Amino acid sequence: MKEEKDMLKSDELMEANKELAFQHVEKEKRAAELGIANRELVFQNGEKEKRAEELIIANKELVFQNGEKEKRAEELRIANKELAFQNDEKEKRAAELIIANKELVFQNEEKEKRAEELRIANKELAFQNDEKEKRAAELIIANKELAFQNEEKEKRAAELIIANKELLAFTYISSHDLQEPLRKIQTFVTVILENENENLSEKGKHNFLRMQLAAGRMQQLIEDLLAFSRISTTDHKFEKADLGIIIEEIKADLKDTMQDKHAIIDAIDLSPANIIPFQFRQLMYNLISNALKFSRPDIPAYIIIRSKIVRGNKLNNPKLSSEKKYCHIVVKDNGIGFEPEFRERIFEVFQKLHSKEVYAGTGIGLAIVKKIVENHNGMITATSELNKGATFDMYIPAD
Amino acid sequence: MDPKEQRVALRILLADDDIDDCEFFRGALDEFFLFTHFTAVHDGEQLMHLLTNETDELPQVIFLDLNMPRKNGFECLAAIKLNGKLNHLPIIMYSTSLEQEVVNQLYRNGAHNFIRKPSDFSSFKKIIRQALTLITQGNVTQPLRENFVLTA
């Protein structure tokens, strides 16, 4: 038994050796393979280190890029906020624009309405314009006609002025020249009555006396006509004059008549007046001598003369300008007067209310008075009742 | 002095174109003036010729009508008053009408008196006599204005 056991042990050792040799070969194979693998690993390591190196670089790059991206992200956040704000603003603006737009739409509508109205109004105006043009054309024609008529009137007026001047000159010259032969007739009558007295029958003498009276009336008529035309032709020179002096002169002229009529002239409180003295003397003379002539035979003649400066609105006469000042002159008598219906007519030429046998006169005296008042741009009125005296009111502009 | 007692004839010159008026004038003189030397001319030219020919003796008074042919009374008055040899002569203007303005102008021009020819013969004689009496009394200077117009 031990040999068997040793024999068995050697086999086992051989087998283990063989196994170990195999394992050794295997291990060498493995080592070679490990060498190769190692070399491979070294290579791979190298590669991996290169890769690692590259990765480090790439990593750095990524870190940098990351930083950049964060910066960009930050900038984008800010830009984003800004955009959000702008967006808000734009929305607000948009809201406002919507409101404004609505308003514009409304206004637009209104404007269209207005435009429509204007179109209508425009049509109306165009129509009216047409009408006006027609009217204007008619007016131009009417105007031309008026201008023509005006020219004709001016011509006629100029002709009338000339005719009037000629007429006055004619009146003056004829009156003047008429005096000459009339005076001859009168003188010859007196020569005959004086020298041929004994040769004339009573009837013949009477007829000569009647002839003398008629010639006397004609003389008065011519003189009055001359006076009437003279006040139209002579110069009109206005002066501030004292009426009292004029009246005193007239009283002196009419002294004899005043004595016959026991007349009193009561002329006080006379304001000075802006008058043509020569003409006004004639005017006052005519009025006073009329008052004396038409005095009542049963009572003394009493003539009141007053004058004062009064504003037109105080004078109760619509024909006077209320703002102007007038010299209001009154001549009032207590004579026979006249019926009120004659108050205008007495101022007309040749108008008489009595026959020449009762009251001598030519009917020119008051026409002269009126003409003189008109030469003074004034007016005269007469007021009377039969047997109750007469009042003459004159209004002469005082400015 | 009454004009009838005048010894030397008063030389009167009348310038009037109206024959009747000349007759009236002569008739008036005949009644009250014994010694007058009366001459009548009938227009202004004749008057001026007579006054300036230096052969006739000058009149002592001239009655001068206003309205005359060829040269009227106004012109004659002016010519006489401008002539140194004649301007002392009293000129009595003599007319049918009496115009205040005409009378004023004649007075300014140096006329001696103004007579309006009256329409009855006795007044005519009276006024001529009045005018001549003034002259024979030696009133040859121009009177005051208020005494210029003579009335019968």
Side-chain angles (χ1 to χ4, degrees), chain A residues 60-124:
Chain A
K60 273 181 191 166
E61 178 64 16
L62 281 170
V63 169
F64 174 76
Q65 282 181 9
N66 210 24
E68 286 300 300
K69 274 171 185 166
E70 273 177 9
K71 276 185 200 163
R72 205 62 70 244
E74 187 62 22
E75 283 169 20
L76 283 169
R77 253 192 315 279
I78 291 163
N80 211 24
K81 271 183 190 165
E82 179 62 17
L83 282 170
F85 174 76
Q86 283 181 12
N87 209 26
D88 273 2
E89 288 299 300
K90 275 175 185 162
E91 273 178 6
K92 279 185 200 162
R93 205 65 67 243
E96 284 169 20
L97 283 171
I98 287 162
I99 292 163
N101 210 23
K102 275 183 187 162
E103 178 63 16
L104 282 170
V105 167
F106 174 75
Q107 284 181 13
N108 209 22
E109 273 172 18
E110 288 298 300
K111 273 173 188 162
E112 272 179 8
K113 279 185 203 164
R114 205 67 65 244
E116 186 60 22
E117 285 168 21
L118 284 171
R119 255 194 307 281
I120 292 164
N122 213 21
K123 272 186 191 162
E124 177 63 16

Side-chain angles (χ1 to χ4, degrees), chain A residues 190-219:
Chain A
T190 58
V191 169
I192 293 166
L193 282 173
E194 200 175 300
N195 297 347
E196 313 293 329
N197 202 26
E198 58 271 32
N199 299 332
L200 285 170
S201 69
E202 282 311 304
K203 182 75 181 161
K205 282 179 204 169
H206 173 78
N207 286 345
F208 265 116
L209 286 173
R210 298 293 300 167
M211 188 167 149
Q212 218 173 1
L213 278 176
R217 274 202 303 278
M218 186 162 173
Q219 188 190 348

Side-chain angles (χ1 to χ4, degrees), chain A residues 172 176 179-180 183-184 186-188 190-191 194 219 223 226 230 234, chain B residues 18 20-21 24 67 96-97 99 101 116-122 125:
Chain A
Y172 183 79
H176 208 268
Q179 289 188 107
E180 188 100 1
R183 186 177 50 78
K184 297 286 191 53
Q186 289 172 305
T187 310
F188 277 121
T190 58
V191 169
E194 200 175 300
Q219 188 190 348
E223 278 172 13
L226 260 176
R230 196 184 295 129
T234 49
Chain B
D18 192 303
D20 293 329
D21 277 331
F24 293 147
N67 297 316
T96 299
S97 59
E99 298 271 339
E101 281 166 54
R116 181 178 195 185
K117 296 175 183 174
S119 55
D120 78 280
F121 192 53
S122 59
K125 288 186 290 190

Side-chain angles (χ1 to χ4, degrees), chain A residues 303-359:
Chain A
I303 303 165
I304 299 168
I305 302 170
R306 296 282 183 275
S307 84
K308 58 180 174 182
I309 308 289
V310 191
R311 201 170 277 281
N313 55 11
K314 300 267 165 63
L315 288 169
N316 289 327
N317 191 319
K319 285 178 186 163
L320 299 175
S321 160
S322 61
E323 288 308 306
K324 273 193 186 160
K325 280 185 184 165
Y326 292 89
C327 183
H328 178 199
I329 303 163
V330 186
V331 178
K332 183 178 166 63
D333 65 49
N334 60 343
I336 59 165
F338 53 86
E339 293 89 336
E341 64 259 40
F342 293 119
R343 67 181 185 280
E344 307 268 350
R345 204 167 120 182
I346 54 168
F347 290 111
E348 290 170 24
V349 186
F350 299 133
Q351 290 302 321
K352 294 181 65 188
L353 302 181
H354 309 277
S355 77
K356 59 182 176 290
E357 277 73 27
V358 186
Y359 289 101

